[in-house]
Each structure stands twice: as structure tokens, then as C-alpha cells.
Amino acid sequence: MKLIKKLAFLPLGVALVAGSAVFAQTQDPDGAALAAALPENLVKKQGVYIVRMADNPVAAYQGGVRGLRATKPGKNKKLNPRDPAVIAYSDYLTARHDEAVQRVGGKKLYSYKYSYNGFAAKLSPGQVDSLRSLPGVVSVTPDTILQRDTVSTSDMLELDAGLWSELGGRENAGEGIIVGIIDSGVWPESRSFSDRTGSNKKGKDGKLGYQQIPGWHGKCTPGDSFPASLCNQKLIGAQWFNAGFGGDAAVLAEYPYEYASARDADGHGTHTASTAAGNANVPVAIGGNDLGFASGMAPRARVAVYKTCWGRGGEGGCAVSDSVAAIDQAVIDGVDVINFSISGSQSSFLDPVEVAFLFAADAGVFVAASAGNSGPDASTVAHNSPWLTTVAAGSHDRGFEPAFVTTGEGDAFPGITSGAGTGSLPLVFAGDVTLADADPAAGELCYPGTLDPAVVTGKIVLCLRGVIARTDKSVAVARAGGAGMVLANTSAGASLNADFHSVPSIHVDEVAGAALLGYIANAGEPKATIDAGVPATVEASEVAGFSSRGPALAGNGDILKPDIMAPGVDVIAAVSPAGSNGNNFDALSGTSMSSPHMAGLGALMKQLHPDWSPAAIKSAFMTSATQDTNQGNPIAGGAFDYGAGFVVPNRAANPGLVYDAGFNDWLAFLCGTGELQAGYCPGIAIDPSDLNYPSIALGALVGSQTVTRTVTNVGEGATYTASVTGLDGIDVLVEPASLTLAAGAQGTYTVTLSNSSAPLKTYASGAITWTDGNGNSVRSPIVARPLEIDAPAEVSGGGIEGDVTFDVAFGYDGAYSVLPLGLRAATEIPGKVVDDPANDINVALGAGAGVTFHFVEVPAGAALHRFALFDAETDGNDDLDLYVFNADGSFAGGSGSGTSAEQVDIVDPEAELYIVVVHGWETDGPDANYTLFSWSVVDDEGNMTVTAPAAAVSGTSGNVTVDWSGLAAGLRYLGVLSHQNGAGEIANTVISVEAD
């Protein structure tokens, strides 16, 4: 599904609905601004839903169904799809899936059985509602489209003298381990995946080439330009999944350059696969430049590819339904490691992909996932589940000496370049040399085919950064006959990259770019000279600007993500020449590049320690990571930027102590977060901070809190002593202060954190380190956010009069009171929206079909404004979505679930006008009648009283009771309880009451 980025003004036919607190405007809103503001992750794939069923998948089934034996594999064992018990139980699950679909209708696309129990199907809203009411159905989730988020990195990580050496050298590193790559496919002809390449001609047993691995059940599925013969004993599996994306025909119609096979049209999948497990000592050349030899992290490991991503660059994406199918298949095939360099949920542990990885980890599969490329903004990290390893991106030490572009007047501007230089040549701006029939905006960005060869030939062209790949810009210059390129950033903070270009090129920042544009505009005959790139070892690692940061939105701050950092800037690896301007190798940047480093290193650890769990492997990497650069300086940033630090694999091989965990621990964690349904949590919930994790995070330190950890000694017997660093203003007590552990023994300790003088509502960070005096140093980062009060975000009740009581915990001594605001009855705004035939909000905004607009005024001083839709307040089984925009068209919030139950909260609204869009994503007829509910909570309405403690005592809790009366029957009310400390508000709790 192609997303429309820029749309024309909304046509006059768009419905404008007036009502109480709503007014009609004299002109239509700016549809282009609204569409551009919409986050792509709110756009749902047409008609496809993912259904999760209650029974355990094959990987976790321990018996209980009459006549069906347990299928959960034993420790260090893999699932066998030919095992009669596996066949019988998987058939049972498939039958349950088919029965559910037959009862409600719809078209099933996938049955998930091995790492996820459920199915994907095309369903109508009515069928979705019916499914949700069936016994055994846990959830029904709309499918979404995710996005794809090394010559010297092995040298930087010192693998030759360390972990590779322990495994018998790079020629044996990864032997017997299978790495599954879920991505955009593979270019099978690449020498990185040959089973007859260089030093890989002999296997461990001395036989020629790679040998078969027992227990592998995957396959090589032939397809477009991909006969099964292209697989071999290195590339042992290749499959593709696109039913959720629309199927082969839909993909090829939308992206004619694609392949209906596992062949990679983009290059992203080939790059991640070769980074993780590409062959050793493969010669690398880019643009005619000989760059030495490349090796993947686990060069002897086998590769199995599962293609779920379609299109190139910003086009297309990866459907969640297809990704879950790939994970499910990879687990039953027998992979040991999975790399997932694809975006994911930032706020949920129970997204279908995360659940599939939960059971994959339970089956012993080590999973590495990219943290996301939305940095440097806070709370942008994705894949926050504790059962996988979430990887931030850092720089590595392959760099270049400072380079300059020098004007004809002698002014030199710094930049970065990796290629050849130029002599003094005429300098032009791309926007001035665009073909007459080309889009001027595309010309400034140097889209291929937009530059005029008549004026570009022999010149250096200044291209603006943005939209298309940086290297595609130099391709455009080369094709137009240009002799060089200056690539200029247009915003502060953007990275500078030493890409491999088609003409001599230098990348400069926005300051230099503006100055050079001024020079071009004012000089009579502007000229420039570009320096040649001079390789150099540079300080590393530093956190990449694009790398997503914590604190995690999921878990209320009680889990620290990302976990660790690995190289992710200008990583050189194999690519698809079809998507990389004919190159077989290229340098790419992103957490997509850092994640496969960890996947490959995880494969090495699986080989070295086959009895270790995925949690133990992750722990070893985290507790041995470094927080310093290669020059001994602290890495800029902190735990929310790089997790435990930059990976040091040779230390991880023998970490001394590990923090182990498994399925029951993760289940107790989920119960403690409240995200898992109460029926799954009979007395097993733990405080999420107590999960046995290699880091410690307290999202709400109110007074003091004690957390518990258990370590396992995986080294020789020793006595470990604890020390604490950082956490200024917080008292830390570790009990016991030392642990004497025999080899294989476990020890439990507690850490009590008490706020003494740390600033409130600000995270303090530090670490606890256990050392044994013999070289083992086991470090766990700690983050804690002291708060004055811990109060629920929302409470609810019912009736025209009633009450509700809840607890609050105090982290200070002093005055305390609760100020009631509300209760305020909703303004009910009737509306009608027609069905959107495209099921795409961007298309609907542009075409004016399937959207209805409401213009809502918000009074000044409101503490909260809420917009909501309810399933019961539509005239059928409809799936409506809700989007809210500020008056200037900027996006304020959205809600797009699989039903019409939608809610958007604006806290302390600053705007006086909001544009509310109701989208008829799928109605059960030609249209849907609905009621939009709108509340502005400003003052005390006199219908609510609060009883609360008169003072706060740090470390204690108190009861708050709210009474209400005099409400009108049949209305929905909203209020805010403002918790006060005598000087002002310290927190608030929303209260909703349905006066039934």
C-alpha cells in the first residue's frame, strides 16, 4: 500500500459537521498539511487482522489437551516438524483457527502455530466483533505496515584475537549455527553467501565446503528470478511472505521492480544478512575503489532468509501479519538466531510481533531487533520487550581525515568524504540546473533524471539532502555528466556521512550549505575544489544522532531500553545491485545495521555456550559492555542513549556472572505491568522492576524501593563484591555486599534506592558493578526517576451518584490535598461518515471520501480535553478512527484501533481550536452514524467531593475517596483530580463516570 505524502486541498465535498461547541469555518482546512502530519503507523492495511488464540503455540505447549502430547522442546533442543506430537498439536491448532473463521466468515491468510497461536484473515468489522466474542480468542489486531528501520567492524571489535580465536578462528566462527534474517530478501549470487568462497572451502571436518546441519527443516522456495538451485550449504533457506501485504500480484503491480520471490530488490536484507553472517574475507569494491575484505560477525554460520519487506527505501514496508508468519516459520525451521531490523511497537509488549518473539525466545532462539531510527528525541525506542535484545546504533572507528570544499575565493568549508577529490571546477546549485520539464523541488534534491546535462557536464553540483538516498543524488549528477557533488544538509543536527558516491563528493552541514548557496548566487563565476578522502582511525563509538532513545514508553519506565549499542554508522556490507545502482557492496547507516551485529555475535555465543539461554547471552553482552570510547573518553549520552554501553564481545565470552530469565519470569513481568489480562495472572505478578534483568529501571521512585536480582556464576568459584557509582542524591544499599559463589551456583541480592536529595521528575542514573578481583567485572546500569507521588492515571465509576477509592504513595513530607475539577458532562456531537473504499486515511483526506470534519473550540485554561468515540454509539458494526489536528494542521493525536472505541487526550491544551477527523475506515454499510464525545475539564462543577490525607509522609500510602452526586442519567462525565503539595500540582488523576 503506497502512502500519499502530499495531497491537494480538500475538495468542497468533504462533510463539515456543526454542533454544540462546534462552528463552521468559511474555508476548507488544508488537507495537504493534515495528510503530511499523519504518522504512518496509524495507517492500517486493508481488511487484514491478526487473531491471537488462547492455547499455547507448539513451542510452549506442555500438555493438557486430551490425546495430544506435550511439544515444548527440552533445554537446548529444537522443534521437529516431523515429530508426530508436533504434527498432531499443530493440526489441532489449525483446526481451531479454521473453526473460528468458519463461524464468523472471512478469508484466512495464515495459520500461526509454532511461536504464535492464531491466524491472519481478511475480515469485515462485523466479523471482527463476532470473533472477539468467541471463546478462546484473546485479541484481534488490525494489521499494520512497519518500515525497515562490514569491512572493519570485526577489526574494531577485535574478534580475530578474541571470540573468533576461541571458536577456532574466523573460518570456524559460527559453525553449526543458523541465523534467520527477516527482512527484504537476499541477493543469492553475492560472494558473502557462497559455500565455496576463499578460506571457507574447507569445513571443520576438513571436507570441501559447508556441510549439512542436522535438524534443519527449512526450505528454499523457488520464485521469480530465484531457482531453488541458488540456495546452497551457506544460504540454506529462502522463503517469502506477502499475503498480508496483498499477495504477489498486488506487490508487482505497485512495485514493478520487485521480485515475487526471496530475491532482494532493495538491498536492506542482503546487507543485514551479510553483516550478521556473511562469509569471511570477501573482497569489497565500491565504485571502483578497492576497500579490502569483509567478514560477517559469524562468518561460518548458515543463513536462512525470510522476505517480508516489499518496495524500496520509503516505498512499501513490512506487514505485521507477514512478519509473524515468518517468525513462526523460522522457529519450526530450526533457526538459532533471528535478526529483525524492522520497526516495531514503542508502547506495547503484546504487539503480535513481540508475542511471536516471546515464544521464539522460550524455544531458545536469540532475537536481536533494531531500536529504531527516530533519535535523538526521547522515548522513541521500539521493541521494548525484555525477551529480545534491543540494539542502538553507534559509530565505528573507520573514518576519514577532515576534508574541505574550497571556493574560488579561498573560503574553505569542512565536510566529510571518502572518495577522490577534484581540481577547481565550476560550481552550480542543482535548483538552477534543473530540466525545464522537471519538478523544481525534485531538482534541488537531485532526483535522477532532473538535472540538465547541457549545463551540468563538467561541473560540481550542490544538492540538498532529503527524501531520496544520498547516493542516488550523486548518481543523478553522474548521469547528467557532472564531475563532482556537494551534498548539503538543510537542518541542524543531521549526520554527516562518508558514503561511496558515483562522482567525487563531500557532505557538509547546513551552515556550510547556506554559505555555499550564497556564494553561488553572488559570485560571477563560482568555482570549487573538493578534497580527496584520507582514511583514518577515529574516536569511537559515539551514539548515532538517528538512534532511538529511551525512556521506553512501554512498562511505565520500569524497563531500560535500548539494551546495548553496536556499530550502525556507514557499515559496509553486501547489497543488492538491483537496488544499489549496480553495486555489490555499500555503506548503510541505521539501527538496522547495528542489530545484525548483535545477531551475529549472538550466533557466536550460541556456538561457544550452547547451553546458555537467550537471556543469559544478552546478559553477558550487557554486563561486559563499555561506556568509554576507544580513546578512553566517556561516550556522550547515557543509558537511555546506549543502554549498557558499546558491545565488547571478547569480554562477553567469559562474563563471570549472568542474569538468567525464562518464560515464567517474562509472564510474571507482563502481569506486573498490567498489560496482560488478569486471567493469565493468578498470583504470579511481580513488580516489573523485579524482573531478573541485567539493568535496573524504576520509573516511579516514591520514597524508597527495593528490587531483587539473582546472578548465576558461569565462571570459576569466586567472591564478588558490589560497588555503586552515580545516582547522585539517591542512597543505595546493596544486601549482601558480597557474594561467594561456586561454579554454577546462584546468588540473590537486593538493591534499596531511597531518594534523599535527587531532583524530582528527573531520571538519575548510575550502575552497580560486581567484581571478583580476578578480572571479572559485571556491571548493570541503573536509572530511577524520583517522584513526589505515585497516583493512578485514571479511575472510573458509574451511576448518577457513587464513589471510588484508590491508593496514592508519597515520596515527600509535607502538605497534601486533592483539588477536584469537573465532573463535566460530554458535549455529544452527532455525525455521519461514509465508508472509505481505500481504507487509507491519506487517500481519504485527499479524495474527500470517507472522512468527516468537526471544528471544536476549547475554552482557555482547560486542564484536559478528551475526544472519544464508542462502539455502542454507532449504528452498526463499524470501525471508525479518530484523528485530531491543531488549527494550523499539525498533528495533535490519533487513535486507530480495530473497533470504533477511540480516544484522544489533549493535556493542558494550548490551542483554542481543534480539527477532529472521523475516518470511516470500514463501515458495515455505505455509511455510519456516530456520536463524537468531547469534554473540556476546566473548573470544579460542584458535583464531586474528595476525601484525602491532610499531609504526606514519605514512604507511606494513603487512600483518596471521590464521591459524586446529582449527575444526569445517561450522560458520560469526565473530571480531573489535581494532587497538590501546597505549592502547586504534582500529579493528576483522570476520573470518568458513566451515569447509567
Side-chain angles (χ1 to χ4, degrees), residues 482-854:
M485 180 183 72
V486 176
L487 176 61
N489 287 346
T490 58
S491 60
S495 63
L496 295 179
N497 300 82
D499 299 309
F500 296 95
H501 287 283
S502 300
V503 293
S505 302
I506 187 168
H507 191 172
V508 300
D509 64 16
E510 77 288 354
V511 176
L516 287 167
L517 285 171
Y519 168 67
I520 293 171
N522 296 310
E525 296 182 1
K527 292 185 176 182
T529 302
I530 297 175
D531 288 349
V534 178
T537 299
V538 298
E539 185 171 14
S541 182
E542 298 292 353
V543 185
F546 57 76
S547 187
S548 289
R549 268 65 165 182
L553 295 177
N556 298 313
D558 287 339
I559 188 166
L560 175 59
K561 290 282 183 170
D563 291 310
I564 201 165
M565 184 168 70
V569 177
D570 293 337
V571 175
I572 297 174
V575 292
S576 161
S580 306
N581 300 312
N583 289 318
N584 292 306
F585 288 84
D586 209 345
L588 301 180
S589 298
T591 54
S592 283
M593 285 62 252
S594 56
S595 180
H597 278 86
M598 292 307 305
L601 295 173
L604 299 181
M605 293 289 278
K606 292 277 283 189
Q607 181 188 8
L608 184 66
H609 299 292
D611 58 334
W612 283 15
S613 69
I617 292 173
K618 174 167 65 175
S619 173
F621 284 129
M622 289 177 63
T623 61
S624 61
T626 182
Q627 300 77 48
D628 294 331
T629 70
N630 55 1
Q631 296 182 11
N633 298 314
I635 298 173
F640 289 129
D641 305 300
Y642 54 64
F646 188 74
V647 64
V648 184
N650 298 336
R651 291 185 195 169
N654 301 284
L657 306 175
V658 297
Y659 296 83
D660 209 351
F663 185 83
N664 290 336
D665 302 288
W666 299 323
L667 185 64
F669 167 85
L670 287 170
C671 292
T673 66
E675 191 168 349
L676 196 63
Q677 296 176 10
Y680 290 92
C681 305
I684 64 172
I686 61 171
D687 187 297
S689 297
D690 279 330
L691 176 67
N692 204 43
Y693 209 68
S695 58
I696 296 174
L698 302 178
L701 175 60
V702 181
S704 65
Q705 183 172 340
T706 299
V707 297
T708 302
R709 291 292 187 271
T710 298
V711 291
T712 302
N713 185 7
V714 294
E716 298 178 352
T719 296
Y720 283 83
T721 302
S723 61
V724 176
T725 55
L727 295 167
D728 295 341
I730 295 178
D731 298 329
V732 183
L733 175 64
V734 182
E735 295 181 310
S738 64
L739 295 168
T740 300
L741 301 173
Q746 291 187 331
T748 297
Y749 68 92
T750 62
V751 183
T752 301
L753 297 95
S754 304
N755 185 31
S756 58
S757 59
L760 297 172
K761 299 182 181 180
T762 301
Y763 274 97
S765 62
I768 178 173
T769 304
W770 292 89
T771 54
D772 66 354
N774 297 316
N776 284 316
S777 181
V778 186
R779 180 186 183 276
S780 293
I782 303 176
V783 294
R785 183 173 58 151
L787 297 178
E788 287 177 290
I789 189 172
D790 185 15
E794 184 161 345
V795 295
S796 60
I800 59 175
E801 61 181 44
D803 62 81
V804 64
T805 298
F806 57 90
D807 292 335
V808 294
F810 299 112
Y812 73 103
D813 295 317
Y816 172 68
S817 61
V818 180
L819 175 66
L821 301 173
L823 295 164
R824 181 78 177 268
T827 298
E828 299 184 13
I829 308 168
K832 176 185 285 188
V833 64
V834 301
D835 182 70
D836 173 15
N839 288 353
D840 185 326
I841 183 62
N842 291 305
V843 174
L845 285 170
V851 286
T852 297
F853 281 70
H854 302 269

Side-chain angles (χ1 to χ4, degrees), residues 302-335:
R302 310 308 201 270
V303 175
V305 169
Y306 303 85
K307 181 178 178 179
T308 63
C309 299
W310 303 88
R312 287 178 183 153
E315 294 185 323
C318 326
V320 167
S321 57
D322 297 330
S323 295
V324 174
I327 297 166
D328 201 53
Q329 188 64 50
V331 170
I332 194 61
D333 285 348
V335 302

Side-chain angles (χ1 to χ4, degrees), residues 463-492:
C463 301
L464 299 183
R465 182 177 184 171
V467 186
I468 65 172
R470 296 183 301 270
T471 52
D472 284 348
K473 298 173 187 290
S474 65
V475 169
V477 174
R479 289 177 179 173
M485 180 183 72
V486 176
L487 176 61
N489 287 346
T490 58
S491 60

